[in-house]
């Protein structure tokens, strides 16, 4: 039986992206299609999205005179394999800046209204708002979409099952109780069984409480979030609902991320022509003003935040250079961390190169030209850059947490002997642990056969959406049958 799923997300590649959520929301429809699931993605009509769609007009499916206080339209579009419904509400989304914050990084003060409106529209669609358009299931991603199941439960007919996927429990969408009367929910929704959370309103909490099932983006993170250390206040709820919580590791789009055909590379290559990587290595050296050298080039492509362990990495940058290695870093985020890396680059010209900003083409080149990618995350629900690294022969050096633990095979002696190792893991994001992992990687790099084996094992591993697409499809079928 074929299913029609409404996926609700606040970003989706290639229309709008701030992180891995966009990659996943953009890839899911293609991942599910082979399993008999048709997916339509509901997305806010930010200026970037409208711009990406160019002149295409789209088809207006519905006009709201008053969606949480603003005028709005639902407009149907198609982009390649993506079937889209845009929530076009100019008062909420037609503004300069990012999807969640202004140009200076300050969160939009009306984020509660912007993303409650998204959830409300999803619930309305699930309830048959548009004639001849029906959905078997609503799949909501992260707090920005998590009000969908709450509206479905409290204002809808409650017939359609739903799924909430947690991409990052650190972002929960918490607001004061004062917004509650403006959400258009019945009074009973302000309770432990609804949207109430520590006296205020919690969007992610509301979704996790009211949805039929919950997934996270790796099995290890699904376990970790039952502990206070990772659960960030929601561990009790996640534990209580453990029977409906599971982890499905993200896949990657193997067409967008294919070293043999990637248009952003200086030289395409494959497993059988790894030596061609050298041209990309030169291009990375030149992009980051690195002097040539014998040691490995480590790269970082990341949000510069505490989650990603970037403070610890900045602290050990001098040690990295002391080992004869170089560092190419692309990222943006916390201004103090940006400054720390700029300072490190100033101390080590030719050995550390830093680009503050967001640069999709450069991120591809780095995976193709650097020798290893560093991901010292304190927590990582899945992580995609280690998967891109594996596919590109850029050996991941990662903290053993969440999806990093699930996707990288540490080069311990047993794994090396069995020729299954694909990278380096370390336990605990401390200076000592990161330095020891760097030392192990530098030592392995000095043994060309060992290094080539790590690269090849990683490149052979299958991180396409095949298996995870099947797992989502199976889950959708179970939920719609129930
Ligand atoms: P998160 O979503 O937590 O930031 P992921 O590893 O899941 O982490 O996804 C990050 C995504 O964003 C990857 O596709 C990565 O290549 C991309 N990315 C992160 N920072 C940058 C940057 N500065 N420039 C280009 N791409 C970036
Ligand atoms: C979040 C997580 C990251 C994950 C991504 C996509 O941004 O931080 O680990 O890969 O979502 O699921």
């Amino acid at each position: 039986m074929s299913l029609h799923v409404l996926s609700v997300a606040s970003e989706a590649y290639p229309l709008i992206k701030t992180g891995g959520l966009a990659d996943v929301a953009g890839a899911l429809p293609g991942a599910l299609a082979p399993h008999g699931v048709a997916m339509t993605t509901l997305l806010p009509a930010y200026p970037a999205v409208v711009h990406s769609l160019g002149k295409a007009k789209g088809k207006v499916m519905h006009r709201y005179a008053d969606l949480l206080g603003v005028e709005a339209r639902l407009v149907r579009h198609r982009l390649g394999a993506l079937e889209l419904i845009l929530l076009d509400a100019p008062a909420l989304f037609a503004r300069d800046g990012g999807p969640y914050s202004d140009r200076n990084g300050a969160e939009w003060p009306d984020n509660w209204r912007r993303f409650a409106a998204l959830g409300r529209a999803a619930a309305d669609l699930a309830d048959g708002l548009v004639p001849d358009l029906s959905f078997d299931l609503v799949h909501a991603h992260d707090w920005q979409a998590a009000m969908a199941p709450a509206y479905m439960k409290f204002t809808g007919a409650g017939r359609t099952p739903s799924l909430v996927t947690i991409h990052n429990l650190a972002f929960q969408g918490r607001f004061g109780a004062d917004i509650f009367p403006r959400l258009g929910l019945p009074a009973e929704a302000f309770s432990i069984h609804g949207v109430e959370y520590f006296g205020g309103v919690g969007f992610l909490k509301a979704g996790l409480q009211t949805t039929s099932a919950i997934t996270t983006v790796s099995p290890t993170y699904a376990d970790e979030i039952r502990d206070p250390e990772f659960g960030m206040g929601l561990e009790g709820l996640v534990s209580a609902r453990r029977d409906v919580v599971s982890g499905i590791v993200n896949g990657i789009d193997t067409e967008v991320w294919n070293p043999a055909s990637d248009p952003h590379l200086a030289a395409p290559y494959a497993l059988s022509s790894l030596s061609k990587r050298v041209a990309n290595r030169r291009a990375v050296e030149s992009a980051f003003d690195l002097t040539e050298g014998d040691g490995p080039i480590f790269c970082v492509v990341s949000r510069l935040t505490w989650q990603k362990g970037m403070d610890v990495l900045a602290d050990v940058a001098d040690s990295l250079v002391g080992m004869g290695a170089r560092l190419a870093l692309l990222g943006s985020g916390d201004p103090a961390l940006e400054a720390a890396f700029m300072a490190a680059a100033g101390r080590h010209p030719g050995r550390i190169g830093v680009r503050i900003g967001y640069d999709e083409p450069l991120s591809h080149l780095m995976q193709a030209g650097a020798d290893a990618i560093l991901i010292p995350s304190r927590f990582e629900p899945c992580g995609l850059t280690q998967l891109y690294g594996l596919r590109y022969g850029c050996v991941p050096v990662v903290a053993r947490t969440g999806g990093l633990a699930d996707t990288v095979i540490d080069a311990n002696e047993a794994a090396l002997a069995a020729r299954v190792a694909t990278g380096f893991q370390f336990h605990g994001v401390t200076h000592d642990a990161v330095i020891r992992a760097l030392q192990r990687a530098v030592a392995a790099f000095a043994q060309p056969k060992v290094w080539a084996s790590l690269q090849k094992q990683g490149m052979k591993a299958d991180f396409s959406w095949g298996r995870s697409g099947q797992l989502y499809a199976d889950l959708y079928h179970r939920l719609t049958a129930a």
Side-chain angles (χ1 to χ4, degrees), residues 11 13 17-24 167-168 171 217 250 257 300-305 307-308 329-332 355-364 366-367 373 375 377 379-388 404:
E11 39 185 285
Y13 181 86
K17 168 170 169 178
T18 71
L21 166 63
D23 289 356
V24 174
H167 295 264
N168 195 334
F171 304 110
V217 285
N250 290 328
W257 292 92
V300 169
V301 179
S302 184
R303 292 187 285 119
L304 301 181
T305 63
Q307 172 194 344
K308 302 289 180 179
L329 177 139
L330 167 65
S332 63
R355 288 274 199 99
I356 300 300
Y358 193 91
D359 189 333
E360 190 82 26
L362 183 60
S363 73
H364 285 240
M366 292 168 76
Q367 298 277 12
I373 181 158
I375 315 174
S377 304
F379 65 95
E380 195 61 75
C382 179
L384 295 173
T385 57
Q386 83 279 15
L387 302 181
Y388 301 144
L404 300 172

